[in-house]
Amino acid sequence: HMLVGSVFALLSLAHVAAHICDFTKFASADEDDLYALFGDKLGVIPQSKSGRWGLLLSTRAGVTGIIMVVCIIAAYSVLRKRRERFNLFWYMHHLLLVMLIALSIHGTQNLLESFQSIYWLIAPFVLYFIPRFLRETRCSTMKVLEAKIKPGECLQLKLERPKRWDWNVQAGMYAFLNVPEVSRLEWHPFTLTSSPANDFVEFHFRSVGDWTEKTHKLFEGHQPAEDGFTEQDQPPENPQDYPLVKVEGPIGASSQGFRDYPIIVLIGAGIGITPMISVLRMLLEDPGKMKRTFFYWTVRDQRSFEWFTSVMDDIYDADSKHILQIRHFLTSAKHDDRDLGQVLLKYAVRAEHKHTDMDLILGRQTHHQVETGRPDWDDEFNSIREESKELGYADCGIFLCGPEKMAEAVDESSLKLSKEDPDFHFYFSKETF
């Protein structure tokens, strides 16, 4: 999408530059030549250069051209504000529709050749407006079955799965969510944590912006908290009591390619675990050609580990063949191998968990010990490569959902190790936020 946008901007700049050259030539051209070229389409052609510029800019092509240039400048000028002011970015992005309408009118005066732009735009318009129309119909509405606020400001939404999802939903997909009581216009993408085998659709998302904060507050009074019920002392008896939620999807994502590899590495950073939970659930239900999966979850706040406590326990219990290796990392707690105290503490924590399943960091029993610091991807991938080769496999797929810096580190490490060993190759796919 960004590549197409960049090419579009460059071609638009070239188009405008060419017209500026044409306007300059038009302003100083011989009057007889202009009438021979345009006939009476422009009416009376002024003698002065400024008058001729004004004549061209006042034509239908000139006015719509100016509108399109203004739309492009306005839309592209806020690209760097996407994270800080997403709503501004989102609404300005929709100036593309104004630009396309102007483009449909741009050549209707037939100044140089027959008008045809509308014929090129019919198919894109239809493809764009069909899903927008469906968003406003009842088919986009899904019944909320359950809503919970997890520790660390994470909202879990469980929705009734419509029958139309039965034939096209896959693990790792995402969908656009809309809560009309929060905003009728805003639709935000979230990955599924449910698997295709579940008879419900499930999402988890953190409160990190205006829309998510308002959505969290809206559902707080309609659902039981993690450690008890709301002030009504019971969850809604009727799902109709929940706020209305609309869904557009499911839509494909890069993590869907996990089926192509016998050895899989899943990496989730913070709430980026959501597509990986869906993939893990699917792999346990139907492993396909998968022989071993390595799962990494990194978080900054230890409360985040509470988001999927029951899910991770279920995954652990369901892994009867021990094909999953799960690693949790608390990145806010730094680890230094040069510090003897930290090294001894690390071994003490590991020994305690091995004998009692007690995680000293979380202060409770868990199946998966939490490690401190960031993963050393060179060491991790080297270990994965050696174990994979022992199993007789030469390919490994890495799927990541996390920040761009983490993606760069994983990509760099996987490329380096792939170049070092021609008999083994890592294939990397990412979703970044």
Side-chain angles (χ1 to χ4, degrees):
H1 178 76
M2 294 174 66
L3 177 62
V4 170
S6 299
V7 172
F8 179 83
L10 289 174
L11 294 179
S12 298
L13 179 63
H15 187 82
V16 171
H19 273 310
I20 291 175
C21 294
D22 291 339
F23 279 31
T24 303
K25 291 182 178 181
F26 180 91
S28 57
D30 181 76
E31 185 176 354
D32 292 335
D33 291 340
L34 294 177
Y35 278 114
L37 179 62
F38 293 100
D40 59 355
K41 293 178 181 178
L42 293 174
V44 178
I45 299 177
Q47 297 296 321
S48 66
K49 291 184 177 181
S50 59
R52 290 184 175 184
W53 272 83
L55 173 64
L56 289 178
L57 293 175
S58 64
T59 61
R60 211 172 301 163
V63 172
T64 55
I66 292 172
I67 292 174
M68 286 189 285
V69 170
V70 170
C71 289
I72 292 173
I73 293 174
Y76 279 80
S77 64
V78 298
L79 289 179
R80 293 187 176 273
K81 300 292 184 181
R82 180 177 178 268
R83 293 187 182 274
E84 296 87 354
R85 304 185 65 183
F86 180 81
N87 285 348
L88 174 64
F89 162 82
W90 179 251
Y91 292 125
M92 295 296 279
H93 227 57
H94 281 74
L95 286 174
L96 173 66
L97 297 177
V98 178
M99 196 208 74
L100 290 178
I101 293 172
L103 180 59
S104 301
I105 307 171
H106 191 55
T108 52
Q109 275 187 282
N110 301 316
L111 294 179
L112 295 175
E113 59 183 352
S114 299
F115 164 67
Q116 56 177 293
S117 60
I118 186 63
Y119 303 115
W120 294 94
L121 293 173
I122 288 176
F125 268 130
V126 170
L127 293 174
Y128 178 83
F129 281 108
I130 285 178
R132 266 53 185 179
F133 171 76
L134 293 176
R135 283 180 173 183
E136 303 303 319
T137 63
R138 292 183 60 185
C139 67
S140 67
T141 302
M142 287 192 185
K143 184 186 295 184
V144 180
L145 302 176
E146 187 179 18
K148 289 182 179 180
I149 302 294
K150 301 278 189 174
E153 295 298 315
C154 178
L155 174 62
Q156 174 194 6
L157 277 183
K158 186 179 289 186
L159 312 176
E160 185 178 64
R161 193 170 97 172
K163 291 189 178 299
R164 67 178 184 276
W165 280 48
D166 293 346
W167 63 276
N168 63 345
V169 66
Q170 298 181 36
M173 283 186 159
Y174 71 97
F176 283 90
L177 295 186
N178 170 260
V179 182
E181 289 188 42
V182 175
S183 172
R184 287 189 58 84
L185 298 178
E186 291 186 52
W187 292 73
H188 293 270
F190 298 100
T191 48
L192 304 174
T193 50
S194 53
S195 81
N198 298 136
D199 59 357
F200 56 85
V201 178
E202 187 178 60
F203 299 93
H204 289 75
F205 54 90
R206 291 182 59 211
S207 177
V208 292
D210 293 343
W211 187 87
T212 50
E213 287 178 3
K214 293 176 182 177
T215 303
H216 275 231
K217 290 179 180 178
L218 181 64
F219 279 94
E220 276 180 347
H222 294 80
Q223 45 75 50
E226 188 71 11
D227 56 352
F229 293 113
T230 60
E231 57 188 12
Q232 289 85 7
D233 291 330
Q234 58 181 4
E237 296 180 0
N238 189 340
Q240 296 295 336
D241 295 337
Y242 284 113
L244 180 67
V245 174
K246 292 186 174 184
V247 180
E248 179 187 15
I251 301 169
S254 61
S255 56
Q256 288 178 246
F258 67 91
R259 288 291 192 192
D260 298 331
Y261 304 97
I263 308 297
I264 303 170
V265 178
L266 304 175
I267 304 172
I271 200 63
I273 188 181
T274 50
M276 307 312 168
I277 289 292
S278 177
V279 172
L280 283 174
R281 284 172 160 171
M282 187 65 211
L283 287 173
L284 289 174
E285 293 155 0
D286 179 17
K289 66 188 294 185
M290 186 273 294
K291 301 302 179 183
R292 184 80 83 244
T293 294
F294 302 86
F295 172 62
Y296 295 85
W297 185 20
T298 66
V299 301
R300 294 178 183 174
D301 185 352
Q302 68 182 55
R303 293 182 302 168
S304 302
F305 290 117
E306 306 296 329
W307 296 344
F308 298 100
T309 300
S310 60
V311 174
M312 297 305 296
D313 288 341
D314 292 342
I315 289 174
Y316 179 86
D317 294 335
D319 184 22
S320 58
K321 297 181 180 179
H322 303 291
I323 58 176
L324 303 181
Q325 293 189 22
I326 298 177
R327 306 280 297 281
H328 293 167
F329 289 85
L330 182 63
T331 58
S332 58
K334 306 299 182 183
H335 177 74
D336 187 354
D337 287 331
R338 297 169 298 180
D339 188 319
L340 180 59
Q342 290 193 27
V343 172
L344 293 175
L345 178 62
K346 176 180 179 180
Y347 282 106
V349 169
R350 187 174 295 173
E352 179 68 21
H353 187 270
K354 181 178 180 180
H355 289 93
T356 66
D357 281 343
M358 174 60 71
D359 192 304
L360 298 180
I361 295 176
L362 298 181
R364 60 177 175 81
Q365 288 185 316
T366 63
H367 294 301
H368 314 289
Q369 179 196 344
V370 175
E371 302 177 51
T372 56
R374 301 176 185 276
D376 185 324
W377 295 118
D378 285 350
D379 289 346
E380 299 297 333
F381 293 157
N382 187 58
S383 175
I384 291 171
R385 179 179 61 183
E386 296 306 316
E387 184 172 343
S388 301
K389 293 175 72 173
E390 289 178 5
L391 293 172
Y393 298 103
D395 295 324
C396 174
I398 303 175
F399 302 90
L400 176 144
C401 184
E404 187 62 40
K405 286 187 177 180
M406 175 183 276
E408 291 174 0
V410 171
D411 189 26
E412 180 182 350
S413 181
S414 63
L415 283 174
K416 182 175 70 173
L417 292 177
S418 294
K419 290 179 180 178
E420 289 178 359
D421 188 348
D423 296 327
F424 191 89
H425 195 84
F426 289 99
Y427 297 90
F428 178 55
S429 299
K430 66 178 181 178
E431 298 174 49
T432 57
F433 52 80

